Amino acid sequence: TIKSLEQAGIFKSNSIKHGVKLLAYGSERLRQPVTVKLSRASTKAVEAVENAGGHVISVHYTRLGLRALLKPHKFVILPRLPRPPPKWQPYYTRWKNRGYLHPAVQMQQWLARPEYETLGAKFEAILEQKKKQNANSKNE
């Protein structure tokens, strides 16, 4: 998350005004799988992270949301994530951008919970079977 990157010293919390965008610069050095929740990500950066076995999730943050993410100790109750404005809604609902409002991304997040681990494994197996069936039907 943005909080983890800030704690690692990659940037200061006061330098983040509208979120963080992940770019593909230096992607050849990425070897470990990571899960990254950022405001935006370039297509090549998404490919690089997923080729390493990780996941990218694009999440819309308001200024209040960023403040709650970076300084949660200042809040008694953390605010919920708001819907993006209509101008940005298409970005966060596309699979290409790995938007958090896309049904497949929401399903991945849901299945990543520890209590649904076995269900997630079954879901992955079913997806693999469907991919093989589609590949076989195209070859015939």
Side-chain angles (χ1 to χ4, degrees), residues 31-35 48-55:
R31 305 215 192 309
Q32 295 292 332
V34 292
T35 299
V49 170
E50 289 182 349
N51 286 340
H55 299 284

Side-chain angles (χ1 to χ4, degrees), residues 26-42:
S27 61
E28 65 276 354
R29 293 186 214 140
L30 185 63
R31 305 215 192 309
Q32 295 292 332
V34 292
T35 299
V36 188
K37 283 187 177 183
L38 300 166
S39 302
R40 298 178 148 266
S42 69

